[in-house]
Amino acid sequence: MKEITYLEAINEALFEEMEKDERVFVMGEDVAVGYGGGGVFGVTRGLADRFGKNRVIDTPLSEVAICGAAIGAALVGLRPVAEIMFADFLSIIMDQLVNNAAKMRWTLNGEWDVPIVYRAAYGAGIGAGFHHSQSFEAWVAGIPGLKVVMPSDPRDAKGLLKTAIRDNDPVIFLEHKLLYKRASGPVPKEEYTIPLGKGEIKRSGSDLTIIGTGAMVRLALDAAEELEKKGVSAEVLDPRTILPLDTELILESVKKTGRAVIVQESPVFGGFGGEIAAMLADRAIDYLDGPVKRVGSLFTPIPNWIEMEKFYLPSVEKILDAAGEVIRY
Amino acid sequence: MKLSHEDHKKMLYWMILGRRIEEKITLLFKEGRMRGHHHPGVGIEAVHVGTCYGLGKDDYIVPSHRGKLPELMMGVGLDYLLAGYYNRREGLGGGRVPTGSHMYGDMSKHVIPGSGIIGSLIPVATGAGLGIKLKKERGVVLAFFGDGGANRGDFHEGLNMAAAFKLPVVFVLQNNSYSISVSLRQSTGLTRLSKRAEGYGMPGVTVDGCRVLEVYEEAQKAIARARSGKGPTLLECMWHRWTGHSISDADVYRTDKERAEGEKRCPVGTFKKECIAKKTITKREYEEMERRAKEEIEEAVRYCEKECTDPDPADVLRGVYSQG
């Protein structure tokens, strides 16, 4: 094992997969140099030096063209990793994603691969404001044909990205920008991958299951620590990919604990937590000892003043409040 | 490529076949034998034959929703294509894709599925060109769309990137001066859309899209340019749409005079007359071509209606993902 950051983990995955398969190439805005040495955050640092400008392609500021061009390149046999600098820009490329990328395989009678990874930095917490902080995972998770990955730590980020690049379907790979340099953790030195659609118990517990992805996992773990002090044993479950979703792991955990709190960074209404809650209502109702609670952001644009952003976002306190309600029910 | 009499004959046959297919499909819809959308491509034959004639196995096309000739000329079988229209299991897409040419594709023949979202495939064509360039292959991509599609943002982003990267793409703007009912005059301040090419740093040419040899000549220049690594061209082909936008469109917004003027430019009739005048073919040979086209189409219709089978409704589940 070695200790690296979330950003370094993603960078390593790109390096290794580009080394392994010459069909893999990276394209996007500022990916060759940027102001992070490769990308605006530095995720693609060093790739252009190693693989050259033909495989690390700086594009015009044209998200629709980036998204569409990745589809065309994939159809003629390459394996593009397209960077959408901020996940907020998924709003710009929805037509290409939804109407083209997601439907190509089906339209071609299931006979042609569409291997694309769309990497995008999402999430709030750094005061980047409402055009550079949003969480749109629920939008794309509602589209048959796409896959949606939201890693919460370096090990998962690396293993899942490697799998996403080898996958033959379009994958939306959502990287939480708050985690890039703030999250570090152990990563195996040897080659490994993590399958899409397999969640992981990040902390075992018996009284309550807290479900979250991305930056919400850290909050859930911190909340679990607090609950421990009060004598409540909380399990933290990270589905890691929301499409496909590891429903079996969620059911198994909630049937064991009898209680569920779902934490998501998007506003509660219309978010992906509703899908999990509905699934639990449908398939685990007899096991529930209290209401399924959702913790999410407020139904407002994302503010950038730090105190207001904290007020807006899910927090350990908000998770504890929700957990208390479920436990006291 | 210098065209021989044999080439002219082949081109004329494609044009006749294209015309008769469009007429037949329209009839099949009116008779209730087909359902869904149909956007007749009557009048567009010279654009398609002029651009696609001579494409090789390395080349790709991104079709628009109008006309079947580009797909057929890339090698998609008429029976296979038509069976798709009929929602037959044996047809293109397994009988599941929308009728009309929305999202019809066959990658084994290098036909990238078209889109029901007008102009949306322009950036995808750019990407296919990027892929070809990165793989150092010699192919060229022909992207078909109309004057309506040229007003989408996708046109701007797709052409700009293709020019910036000098990609092997020919953007074929099939201009019939109407986006359904809204005229070009009302949609843009330009009269020649090919002028937009200059803004992207690529050549832009406007040709009479009703004259197949003119289209061919300019298309060949654009294809040669793309193949030699010099980058894309915007090829605007002016043609007249003989019908409404789709079979649901009664075409109340154009005058009889306008229609009559347009139909005087009939691409099939014009080329046929030229071929007869130049003695490339005899009148009898022309009649023989008409007979062959009819036979080919009737045989495909018979195959679809008599031999093909319905897909299983549960086929909808197949192929959403690589694993399922």
Side-chain angles (χ1 to χ4, degrees), chain A residues 212-253:
Chain A
T213 59
M216 298 301 102
V217 174
R218 184 72 255 161
L219 291 184
L221 288 167
D222 290 349
E225 288 287 319
E226 291 300 313
L227 288 166
E228 186 79 50
K229 291 176 195 163
K230 295 176 191 167
V232 175
S233 164
E235 179 149 296
V236 174
L237 188 158
D238 176 2
R240 302 197 288 200
T241 67
I242 61 167
L243 182 65
L245 180 68
D246 193 348
T247 51
E248 295 312 311
L249 184 69
I250 296 171
L251 282 170
E252 195 184 308
S253 172

Side-chain angles (χ1 to χ4, degrees), chain A residues 54 58 62-65 68-69 72-73 75-76 78 95-96 99-100 104-109 112 145-147 167 169, chain B residues 60 93-94 96 103 105 107 113 117 120-121 123-124 127-128 131 134-135 154 157 165 316 318-323:
Chain A
N54 270 339
D58 272 341
S62 303
E63 286 80 12
V64 173
L75 286 174
V76 304
L78 294 177
D95 169 48
Q96 292 296 339
N99 294 314
N100 295 335
M104 280 294 174
R105 170 183 294 280
W106 191 88
T107 297
L108 291 162
N109 214 8
W112 208 260
L146 299 179
K147 294 175 177 173
D167 198 274
D169 296 313
Chain B
Y60 289 83
R96 312 183 301 172
M103 300 297 278
M107 287 306 297
I117 315 293
S120 171
L121 262 293
V124 176
L134 295 178
K135 289 167 80 182
D154 298 69
E157 292 201 15
F165 293 169
V316 66
R318 180 169 41 77
V320 180
Y321 292 103
S322 50
Q323 294 93 341

Side-chain angles (χ1 to χ4, degrees), chain B residues 261-276:
Chain B
E261 286 295 317
E263 288 175 20
K264 275 188 205 156
R265 298 162 58 211
C266 175
V268 187
T270 304
F271 192 47
K272 166 196 144 188
K273 276 184 210 144
E274 273 174 34
C275 286
I276 291 175

